[in-house]
Amino acid sequence: MTTISGYDADAGPSLAQRVAIVTGGGSRTDGIGNGRASAMLMAMRGARVLVADVELAPAEDTVARIRDAGGDALAVAADVSRADECKAAVDAALAKWGRLDILVNNVGISGPPGTALDVDLDGWDHAMRVNVTSMMLMSRFAIPAMRAQGAGAIVNLSSVAGLVGGHPSLLYPTTKGAVVNLTRAMAAQHGTQGIRVNCVAPGMVYTPMVASRGMTPELRDARRRRSLLQTEGSAWDVAEAVAFLASDAARWVTGVVLPVDAGATAGSASSPTPASDGKTR
């Protein structure tokens, strides 16, 4: 059995001989967020993974975990809101492994709070660049290598906040909604080149970023109960969706937006149930 950080990585399609880039692949704590889990899981399924993060140390931590488990990975520091650093990350992967098969655009920040009436405009512009423009920039430099090979897979990370209303801030759901249509537009533009572009929209998974916001046990339990399955998700659940969409098991899948949310966007778990006497319970 292949395990990494206590997770069984055996069950799933092989990514042997593939080269992947995961942006935001570090974590500011010892915990495992969506980017770190995606990088580690793909590495344990055979991919060689370049882990990019705005800070080098968190990326190096992810790479150390991969190497300790027998995988092959490289850490680079990259601010993916900057075109030159996106290009450098792609060039580093090509220089080390000679190809690029998978791009996981995972970077995202909460951005400034507020509505259209009071959101900070400089913060808005910065978060737009980090959450949306970065995905275009990474794709700009990754697609030529994929196109030359005649195949590639791009997975963009959005959020259920980009699918439904109700978020208290305007910036975050706006950027995540933009990622959804960015995915569809890119899928249409690059499908004939053999490049698949899909999107994962995580729900209220419990990650180090969530924990760092002072999550109380009561709020954590309330988040869990908002889904149909009434179970708490982790970054590994998101990583499994990413790894599937990046693999040949999804060879006929492109332009898809896949919620990983325990059914939260499908309906309400608290809907009344009809009883046999016609009354609701």
Side-chain angles (χ1 to χ4, degrees):
M1 180 172 67
T2 303
T3 61
I4 184 166
S5 293
Y7 187 78
D8 176 10
D10 277 342
S14 172
L15 294 169
Q17 306 305 313
R18 303 298 169 83
V19 173
I21 293 176
V22 179
T23 67
S27 178
R28 298 302 173 268
T29 71
D30 287 337
I32 298 174
N34 296 335
R36 175 169 285 173
S38 297
M40 293 194 298
L41 184 61
M42 290 195 297
M44 291 302 93
R45 292 189 178 156
R48 294 159 287 178
V49 183
L50 184 140
V51 181
D53 200 278
V54 69
E55 296 180 17
L56 184 59
E60 290 179 327
D61 186 5
T62 301
V63 167
R65 297 178 189 221
I66 290 171
R67 290 176 177 169
D68 287 347
D72 189 4
L74 173 69
V76 301
D79 177 353
V80 293
S81 71
R82 295 174 54 92
D84 58 337
E85 297 194 25
C86 292
K87 183 178 186 300
V90 172
D91 288 346
L94 294 173
K96 184 169 180 63
W97 293 300
R99 61 183 297 120
L100 179 59
D101 304 281
I102 299 163
L103 170 63
V104 179
N105 283 315
N106 169 71
V107 167
I109 60 175
S110 297
T115 68
L117 298 176
D118 54 14
V119 63
D120 179 75
L121 295 183
D122 289 337
W124 174 280
D125 290 343
H126 173 69
M128 278 285 189
R129 191 162 184 88
V130 172
N131 288 9
V132 183
T133 305
S134 69
M135 298 191 181
M136 176 274 291
L137 289 174
M138 285 300 302
S139 299
R140 168 174 290 184
F141 299 110
I143 286 172
M146 296 177 177
R147 186 174 57 203
Q149 297 162 187
I154 298 173
V155 183
N156 298 322
L157 270 289
S158 177
S159 166
V160 295
L163 304 178
V164 296
H167 198 280
S169 298
L170 180 63
L171 179 282
Y172 186 75
T174 299
T175 61
K176 293 305 179 179
V179 171
V180 168
N181 250 25
L182 173 80
T183 297
R184 291 171 174 150
M186 288 179 59
Q189 291 168 350
H190 301 290
T192 58
Q193 300 161 6
I195 299 169
R196 297 182 297 104
V197 188
N198 291 292
C199 178
V200 173
M204 294 187 178
V205 296
Y206 192 71
T207 64
M209 182 180 291
V210 171
S212 70
R213 296 172 184 161
M215 180 73 61
T216 66
E218 293 78 16
L219 181 55
R220 184 175 177 179
D221 187 60
R223 293 170 88 250
R224 174 188 64 80
R225 289 186 284 105
R226 287 178 63 178
S227 71
L228 299 184
L229 295 181
Q230 302 276 289
T231 56
E232 183 176 76
S234 74
W236 294 114
D237 296 301
V238 176
E240 287 284 2
V242 170
F244 163 70
L245 290 172
S247 76
D248 284 346
R251 60 173 289 276
W252 216 49
V253 178
T254 195
V256 160
V257 179
L258 176 59
V260 180
D261 65 352
T265 54
S268 171
S270 59
S271 299
T273 302
S276 58
D277 58 4
K279 298 179 180 180
T280 58
R281 298 287 188 262

